[in-house]
Amino acid sequence: MSGEHASTRIIEAYARGGTDLAADEVWAVEAHLEACRVCRDRMSAAVGTEAPAVASLVDTVWSGLEPRLAGTATMPRGRRRSARLSRWLMPTMVPWLAMVVGVTLMALLLDLAGTGSGEVSLVLLFAPVLPVLGVAASWSRGLDPAYELTASAPRAGLHLVLRRTASVLCAVVPALLVGGWATGVTAAQWLLPCLAFTVTTLALGGVVGVTRAAVVLAAAWAAVVVAPTLATSRTAFALQAGGLPAWGLLLALGVGVVIARRDAYSVLGAHR
């Protein structure tokens, strides 16, 4: 990519099939073509020159589709809004997000009723792993009925992962904010672990798949922190103010790994 438009080399190589382009260049030009009519026109002209067989096939297909499309009603406005919303949230995420918010509210009620684990706030105890469950649902091959379409879309890589992760955080963070305020837990105590766990899930997800990373981290947290804390009714060091620098370091490392391995989210393994 050069300046505001794709270079001639990339346009012509993509028109020939993109076999001599790197994966990140293919992703970049496809994403750019979505919003740039100038480059789409250049691509159309390049296809006629570089791949005449493809141009002929497109013309044949279009000649058959054009009469049908002329008589087809346009998409209702409500469906267009739904299509835009799907970039951030898929329908199968809704029950998972409702469950996550429900768990947060239940933990808050137990804290307020004094039936929690002694001096340990249940909101603080579950805050790091709650968004991880939503992230797992938002990028799961088994839960996404449109998986094949999602995986083949130009923005199916890190761009879409971050959008869906942001939608999860937008649902979970306000609930945790209310829970922390009601129980007297400072925002830094739950927000840093929450963000660090979420970013670590994405970082490991580029290696083993987002869903598998979420399951592994949630199980590790339950075994190492939740179970001992509930058994002893003592706040683990990871939940104390002294552990905040470690959470900050983990967050920074996770962000670095996600950036360094941003191309990994464009492969099908990230959906595992």
Side-chain angles (χ1 to χ4, degrees), residues 94-214:
V94 176
W96 285 81
L97 292 179
M99 179 194 69
V100 170
V101 174
V103 170
T104 304
L105 295 178
M106 185 178 296
L108 172 61
L109 292 176
L110 291 175
D111 279 347
L112 295 179
T115 57
S117 181
E119 64 180 33
V120 183
S121 168
L122 293 180
V123 173
L124 179 60
L125 188 61
F126 293 116
V129 293
L130 288 176
V132 170
L133 301 177
V135 171
S138 71
W139 201 242
S140 170
R141 180 174 185 170
L143 295 176
D144 189 353
Y147 160 71
E148 289 81 4
L149 294 176
T150 301
S152 60
R155 295 181 182 270
L158 182 60
H159 188 274
L160 184 57
V161 174
L162 293 180
R163 278 191 172 192
R164 291 187 173 179
T165 301
S167 67
V168 171
L169 292 176
C170 286
V172 175
V173 169
L176 290 175
L177 185 62
V178 172
W181 171 78
T183 56
V185 177
T186 61
Q189 280 184 278
W190 61 262
L191 183 58
L192 261 180
C194 175
L195 295 179
F197 246 71
T198 302
V199 171
T200 303
T201 301
L202 298 181
L204 291 179
V207 180
V208 301
V210 176
T211 303
R212 291 179 181 175

Side-chain angles (χ1 to χ4, degrees), residues 23-118:
D24 58 338
E25 290 180 315
V26 173
W27 181 91
V29 71
E30 288 179 345
H32 178 71
L33 288 172
E34 290 182 354
C36 182
R37 180 167 185 172
V38 173
C39 287
R40 288 198 299 269
D41 292 340
R42 292 171 58 206
M43 179 66 69
S44 178
V47 169
T49 303
E50 301 292 333
V54 174
S56 177
L57 176 61
V58 170
D59 290 339
T60 302
V61 173
W62 179 249
S63 64
L65 286 177
E66 189 173 16
R68 299 183 182 184
L69 293 176
T72 302
T74 58
M75 181 183 294
R77 182 175 299 177
R79 289 191 179 182
R80 289 199 294 268
R81 287 196 295 266
S82 177
R84 288 193 295 268
L85 180 62
S86 65
R87 301 174 185 174
W88 296 87
L89 188 72
M90 63 181 187
T92 53
M93 289 173 58
V94 176
W96 285 81
L97 292 179
M99 179 194 69
V100 170
V101 174
V103 170
T104 304
L105 295 178
M106 185 178 296
L108 172 61
L109 292 176
L110 291 175
D111 279 347
L112 295 179
T115 57
S117 181

Side-chain angles (χ1 to χ4, degrees), residues 124 188-190 192-193 196 221 235-251:
L124 179 60
Q189 280 184 278
W190 61 262
L192 261 180
W221 180 259
T235 304
F237 175 76
L239 299 174
Q240 297 176 9
L244 292 181
W247 286 115
L249 178 61
L250 182 62
L251 175 60

